[in-house]
């Protein structure tokens, strides 16, 4: 299928630059990208997210720079042709490692939430709507937050946060107040050294659930949502050696055949990585989560790479 007037891109943060690969229109099953274009971010960018931060109809980038000096995030405003303006930097907490985008105060402007590993806090930046952000408000997030995800976990219409705490071996959920602030977090047990977290309705009950890639125990923890901001005890599934990243993708929205794919990026050693995709297609089986998840395929991610928490954004606007 050829998608008209829409470009998808892969954005790879690493070292001190963002690599942007623009998709080339192609026939069904053909996927290709133009050569990468590099854009300066901050020092050691480790996480990237997308959103239209200045309401011009063009997708922009935000990057969490993890070096610890100067502890900031970089915002690169898109020009609409696949290129970006010079980065604007905003001070975050200590060692920012992950960033997500959402409207946390309901004003129609996109905001940011950043997980800060060293200070064990989440920094929330409320957007001005012109590409700029207010000074961050900080919220306790648990020990060594490694990954962050967003969703309405208690059904009140306000967006909440879920944070994977690497050394605490827990997930902390912070319920949103609707004004850009958050309640004190509640922790739920995950596996050993959770490295990445993702959100989805895994059993089709209309309540958001959590999936966590556990780097230390080589598995994925699935926590089914109760609907009031709490979660059932985690159920674990083998994911391979040292899963470092996790993404979710809903294949169909039909309630009769809803299913979700978990994609853990599994690092077998520092220099060699692979990605394994696995899933269950039967909604009733997935609802009770009986038995192991089925491995589907594996795809090489290249040499001398180390997979890190990943998101799969749905983009209907061009860069």
């Amino acid at each position: 299928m050829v998608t008209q007037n829409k470009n998808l891109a892969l954005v790879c943060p690493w070292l001190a630059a963002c690599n942007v690969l623009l998709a080339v229109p192609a026939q069904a099953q053909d996927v290709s990208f133009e050569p990468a274009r590099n854009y300066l971010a901050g020092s050691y960018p480790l996480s990237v997210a997308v959103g239209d931060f200045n309401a011009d109809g063009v997708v922009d980038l935000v990057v969490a720079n993890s070096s610890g000096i100067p502890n900031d995030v970089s915002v690169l405003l898109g020009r609409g042709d696949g290129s970006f303006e010079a980065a604007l930097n905003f001070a975050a907490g200590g060692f920012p490692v992950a960033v997500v985008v959402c409207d946390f105060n309901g004003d129609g402007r996109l905001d940011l939430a950043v997980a800060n590993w060293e200070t064990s806090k989440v920094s929330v930046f409320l957007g001005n709507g012109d590409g700029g952000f207010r000074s961050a408000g900080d919220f306790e997030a648990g020990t060594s937050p490694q990954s962050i995800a967003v969703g309405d976990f208690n059904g009140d219409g306000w967006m909440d946060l879920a944070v994977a705490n690497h050394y605490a071996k827990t997930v902390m959920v912070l319920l949103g107040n609707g004004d850009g602030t958050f309640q004190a977090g509640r922790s739920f047990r995950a596996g050993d050294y959770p490295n990445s977290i993702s959100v989805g309705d895994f059993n089709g009950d209309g309540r958001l659930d959590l999936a966590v890639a556990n780097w230390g125990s080589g598995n994925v923890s699935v926590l089914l949502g109760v609907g009031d901001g709490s979660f059932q005890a985690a159920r674990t599934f083998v994911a391979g050696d040292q899963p470092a990243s996790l993404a979710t993708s809903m294949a169909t929205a039909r309630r009769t055949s809803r299913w979700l794919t978990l994609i853990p990026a599994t690092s077998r050693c520092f220099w060699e990585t692979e990605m394994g995709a696995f899933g269950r297609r039967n909604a009733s089986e997935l609802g009770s989560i009986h038995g192991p998840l089925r491995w589907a395929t594996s795809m090489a991610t290249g040499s001398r790479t180390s997979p890190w928490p990943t998101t799969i954004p749905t983009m209907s606007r061009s860069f």
Side-chain angles (χ1 to χ4, degrees), residues 85-99:
E85 303 284 350
L88 304 172
N89 296 323
F90 301 89
F95 203 76
V97 294
V99 59

Side-chain angles (χ1 to χ4, degrees), residues 231-295:
F231 294 84
Q232 298 179 26
R235 309 178 187 186
T236 59
F237 304 91
V238 175
D241 296 338
Q242 300 175 341
S245 181
L246 180 70
T248 59
S249 176
M250 194 67 69
T252 174
R254 293 181 300 170
R255 294 185 178 181
T256 55
S257 59
R258 180 175 302 190
W259 61 286
L260 183 144
T261 302
L262 304 176
I263 311 173
T266 303
S267 176
R268 295 192 179 279
C269 66
F270 185 79
W271 295 117
E272 180 182 3
T273 65
E274 68 173 23
M275 183 179 292
F278 57 95
R280 293 285 294 274
R281 296 192 180 187
N282 186 297
S284 61
E285 290 179 349
L286 187 57
S288 57
I289 312 187
H290 289 310
L293 294 175
R294 180 176 59 85
W295 287 96

